[in-house]
Amino acid sequence: ARDGLGCICFSPLSQGLLTNRYLNGIPEGSRAAAAHSFLSKDAVAEALPRVTALNAIAARRGQTLAAMAIAWILRDPRVTSALVGGVHVTLTDD
C-alpha cells in the first residue's frame, strides 16, 4: 500500500472449498476427489467445520458462501482483482 501497488488474488474460493460444493461431502468428479489435486480429501475434511461456520455467517448476511468470500477479498483497497476461475480458449484458423 505504501508504494501504491495492488495485488491480484488467485483462487479466492480455495478451489471450490469456499462454495457450497463440499458442505455435504466430496462429490464425484470434484477436484478434491481427484488424487492429483491440490485440494485433497484430508484438506476438505480438516476445513469443513470452519467452512460450515462461515456458510452459516454468510446465510445470516443473506449471501452465499462464495459471495461472502469474494467480498472479503475485495474489501481490501490494495486488491485490484480476484481470479475466480479460468477459461480455456482454443484458437482456430476458421
Side-chain angles (χ1 to χ4, degrees):
R2 180 188 71 234
D3 295 328
L5 299 174
C7 70
I8 298 173
C9 295
F10 178 77
S11 195
L13 298 179
S14 193
Q15 299 208 2
L17 186 59
L18 294 176
T19 68
N20 64 357
R21 183 172 183 115
Y22 296 103
L23 291 174
N24 297 311
I26 298 173
E28 277 190 47
S30 66
R31 289 181 186 206
H36 62 278
S37 176
F38 172 76
L39 185 63
S40 70
K41 292 178 183 180
D42 290 340
V44 172
E46 182 180 328
L48 193 57
R50 291 185 302 276
V51 171
T52 301
L54 288 171
N55 187 58
I57 293 168
R60 287 194 303 270
R61 294 169 50 107
Q63 294 177 298
T64 64
L65 178 57
M68 187 175 78
I70 293 170
W72 186 83
I73 291 291
L74 295 177
R75 85 197 189 301
D76 189 322
R78 297 169 296 180
V79 174
T80 57
S81 185
L83 298 176
V84 176
V87 177
H88 179 167
V89 176
T90 302
L91 301 177
T92 64
D93 293 331
D94 296 345

